[in-house]
Amino acid sequence: MGLYEDVSGKLQRFHQEQLLRYYEGLDAGEKQALLTQIDQTDFSILEQAANGHAPERGHITPLKAMTLSEIAEQEETFRAKGLELIRKGEVGAVLLAGGMGTRLGSDDPKGMYNIGLTKDVFIFQRIIENLLDVVKAADSWIHLFVMTSDKNHEATTRFLKEHDYFGYQPDKIHFFMQEMAPATDYEGKIYLEEKGRLATSPNGNGGWFVSMDRTGMLDIVKENGIKWLNCFAVDNVLQRIADPVFVGATALGNVGVGAKVVRKNAPDEKVGVMCLEDGKPSIVEYYELTDEMRDATGEDGERLYNFGVILNYLFSVDGLYRIMSEKMPLHRVEKKIPYIDAAGNKVSPESPNGYKYETLILDMIHEMGTCLPYEVVREKEFAPIKNKTGVDSVESARELCKRNGIEL
Ligand code: UTP
């Protein structure tokens, strides 16, 4: 049977026949490209999405964080352990940079954004400089894995090469691409972004380890004896990466994963907070917290749900292998999806017109079974750039950089 027949069968099974609506009008190359894209796209997420997207939550109880004062008491022990592991080559870093950064509104990858005022200071540069601080302190290179997606791989790799990797040793940087997921209308029908191409979007930041496997990155992990992977987001310009004290605390803590957390700036701050769900570590979203939970305090007067995650996790590689084949919950997110309408015209909607589908790294925390929430000082380590202005923006990040003595 030829590819066309295979693809038609697949489309029928998933009720997506509309994807071949313009097939006859395409040239031979476009036809082949469309059939190949349909053949290679994972449609099973559509079934998962149709079966209800929000998994039922279990019983939520508090999870205590290791606080700043507790860390200070053992800081030197933790630092020594962390530096030892880094020098042994057991710690790698994973930059999650496959997202679209739509809120920032730039067509370039988010890391290429220049936050400088009197000179160039690119987001990627801030991140690499922060990692270089640890490389210098340990006098040892750290393998840095960079996840991109189909939408930004080319631009990301070109940009970093052009800037000589901002001083990082090129053979210690490894790029890999995550997968894409189809984007659909509210009825679950996949949109066409061009007459010969499905609308797709990066499949979330939850599939990074599986993508590392598929792209051969885990061979590098194995060959180099890397036992811990520090995953972090592209947008926090004060991000401390492979922070030796955090590495030491997590390794000595006998847990599957460490999570950097910050104290909420107000009980109703809109961040996900660490908790236990049916006895396993988890993250409860701000809108899932009842008023009672939000205000609950422990014997020491500390609020019980008071530590928000900042997307900086240190995973044990053994633990990652263990959870690798677990099915992750699928989240659907409303999105503006440009598409070709029934009359063949290209439409760029002004408001959301469908869903993208993602798995999320925070769901991996639950699977890991044990987690150390590790407090860091918000003003020193958390300056996320999601928007141009306002909360979590270029403006607020610039202000925080200034307070930390970083010249812009
Ligand atoms: P965000 O949740 O901020 O998503 O990602 P985003 O897609 O980049 O931005 P918006 O919502 O469109 O404005 C948090 C981190 O996870 C990465 C992002 O690059 C960022 O570092 N990410 C997100 C991926 O690597 N892949 C994805 O599919 C999604």
Side-chain angles (χ1 to χ4, degrees), residues 96-103 147 178 202 204-205 233-235 311 386:
L96 303 173
M100 297 278 283
T102 41
R103 283 169 284 174
M147 183 165 87
Q178 68 175 101
N205 58 24
V234 70
D235 47 34
L311 217 173
K386 300 284 185 198

